[in-house]
Amino acid sequence: MPELAEVELGRTLLERVVVGRRITEVWCDDDDIVFDGVTPEAVRDALTGKRAIAAHRHGKHLWLELEAGPHPLFHFGMTGAFRLRGEAPLELESRIGIGDTTWPPRFAKIHLWLEDGGEIVMTNARRLGRIRLRASPPDEPPLADLGFDPLLALPSRAEFVRRAKRRKIPIKALLLDQGFAAGVGNWLADEILYQSKIDPRRIAASLDEDELARLRSVMRRVVKRAVAVGADKDRFPRSWLFHHRWGKQAGARTARGEPIEHLELGGRTTAWVPSVQR
């Protein structure tokens, strides 16, 4: 699933290709699941002829700020992405759509044409993504219900500790709670806990201040690094758990040779290293 770094890459694509340009034509798929609470026709009418003035992101959601509202709000779900003509998509672990060189690509849900001849498409193979219209996206659900964005607004040490100490759930479940840390998904949570040397099963409220401060510091470092390399997994440090966590493979080990185990927490598969995480 696209997490914070992958969605930030989507925001930068919007910024590079769409911002500062007028949208001259819009095609929308007839999909009453992906288009949430709004008809494809309403989205087309809201965007056509408008100039985009900024691209924003909070957690796993991103939106185009137009010269006049309403503004389109996007969520990629499990397999969503923005695609540009002639550019390969970011490769996700799901691999759905990888290698598709047709244009427009398969599973297209919205297609924008721009005044300079540019084009951008959002694809969504499993139909778990969403396209919405909002008058003021940050002030309305779902964005208004989200927690802090670790890249944009990481709380102070004291505030981070205070928020975590209130929660009597496993620390892995807390990291996945979008009302706590917007944008952290399964692989980011596992990576943060591995590098923090914290057992994912431990109750958040049981962690001491130093452990939570370490967790916060690692969260900032991991998120910044993933964003800095454009979510390109081949450029993640070789020491990261990320490279060895997939597939529940028997005998899997980290780059340091530490045995990896898998368990279910909150309905999600968790990869962790018992010899390191306490």
Side-chain angles (χ1 to χ4, degrees), residues 11 13-21 51-55 64:
R11 188 201 66 80
L13 288 179
L14 287 178
E15 189 170 67
R16 171 160 62 93
V17 175
V18 185
V19 170
R21 298 163 179 86
R51 186 176 299 277
I53 61 175
L64 269 176

Side-chain angles (χ1 to χ4, degrees), residues 4 6 26 69 126 217:
L4 189 153
E6 292 93 344
V26 179
R126 293 184 179 171
S217 178

Side-chain angles (χ1 to χ4, degrees), residues 28-44:
C28 296
D29 188 26
D30 184 17
D31 190 325
D32 59 4
I33 294 178
V34 172
F35 289 89
D36 183 25
V38 64
T39 65
E41 292 77 17
V43 172
R44 184 188 63 223

Side-chain angles (χ1 to χ4, degrees), residues 61-91:
H61 298 260
L62 65 165
W63 70 100
L64 269 176
E65 181 181 350
L66 305 177
E67 58 186 346
H71 312 279
L73 176 65
F74 306 95
H75 186 269
F76 289 153
M78 285 290 291
T79 58
F82 286 129
R83 293 282 306 273
L84 304 178
R85 185 193 288 272
E87 292 191 17
L90 180 69
E91 183 174 346

Side-chain angles (χ1 to χ4, degrees), residues 5-6 9 90-91 226-227 229-236 242-243:
E6 292 93 344
L9 178 64
L90 180 69
E91 183 174 346
V227 169
V229 299
D232 182 349
K233 65 182 184 181
D234 293 332
R235 297 172 62 194
F236 291 168
F242 178 94
H243 299 290

Side-chain angles (χ1 to χ4, degrees), residues 199-210:
D199 186 325
R201 302 169 299 180
R202 290 183 61 189
I203 301 302
S206 75
L207 298 175
D208 65 33
E209 184 172 340
D210 287 343

